[in-house]
Amino acid sequence: LKDKGSVTRGWIGVQIQPVNADIADSLGLKKAEGALVAEPQSDGPAVKAGIQSGNVITSVNGQEVKDARDLAKRISSLPPGSNVKLGVVSKGAEKTVNVVLGELPREQRQARATSEDNDTSGTEVPRLGLSLAPAGKVAGAGAEGVVVTQVDPDGPAASQGFRTGDVILDVAGKRVTSPEEVRKAFADARSGGKRTILLRIKSGENTRFLAVQLGRG
């Protein structure tokens, strides 16, 4: 504090969100706890340690992480340069990852994002109520994924949290580039007896996961 004139906080460089019951089910987790990595920041400490999108961080130095807010609090309480051991679930397997904390960038100190737990329970989705288009065919959408061009306000997708302009990057852990691939992934999951399916979605500058309950139809 005396050297730098301000409080410095540890930072691992990830966008995180809570693990709700639907997300836990879609990932095969035993309980809805931990922090889901929606997007690791390029060149951040987490990326350098091998942490990937879709990983769930379950502990810090052996102490259980309850949710995304708990993880953020634990990491920010440690000084930059600290070597921490993170418990991580990756594709169903548990492992320990060593991460050297960076320093929280100044712009993020002023406006630290607060993760909110979006309740996506209770909606069956035999039809999503979405209009989709390849991102490459929509101006300003970038080159990756499938863009939500329209959301039926009375359809199940609206209540699930979809918004016009969202870009669906992955469905069930696989990258998608066309509406047909999205529909096929839903059909495959339903025929395989899955109750939920996990989508990775980009909204503006933020990336998040959304667990969608599958209808029986």
Side-chain angles (χ1 to χ4, degrees), residues 79-169:
S82 299
N83 195 325
V84 300
K85 294 183 182 296
L86 300 180
V88 176
V89 176
S90 176
K91 297 180 180 178
E94 297 181 12
K95 61 181 181 179
T96 300
V97 176
N98 292 311
V99 179
V100 178
L101 300 187
E103 182 177 338
L104 184 68
R106 182 172 298 177
E107 62 271 17
Q108 293 188 30
R109 290 181 223 163
Q110 301 300 322
R112 297 184 63 196
T114 300
S115 298
E116 295 182 357
D117 192 355
N118 294 319
D119 182 13
T120 60
S121 62
T123 304
E124 291 192 350
V125 192
R127 293 174 63 247
L128 279 177
L130 292 176
S131 295
L132 303 172
K137 294 186 178 181
V138 179
E144 296 185 5
V146 179
V147 180
V148 176
T149 57
Q150 188 174 356
V151 180
D152 179 355
D154 298 319
S159 63
Q160 291 279 345
F162 285 94
R163 296 186 291 269
T164 300
D166 283 352
V167 180
I168 301 172
L169 299 171

Side-chain angles (χ1 to χ4, degrees), residues 72-87:
K73 183 178 179 181
R74 290 181 185 278
I75 294 299
S76 65
S77 70
L78 298 169
S82 299
N83 195 325
V84 300
K85 294 183 182 296
L86 300 180

Side-chain angles (χ1 to χ4, degrees), residues 17-25 31-33 117-121 211:
Q17 67 182 86
V19 177
N20 62 21
D22 285 341
I23 288 175
D25 181 72
K31 51 187 177 180
E33 292 184 359
D117 192 355
N118 294 319
D119 182 13
T120 60
S121 62

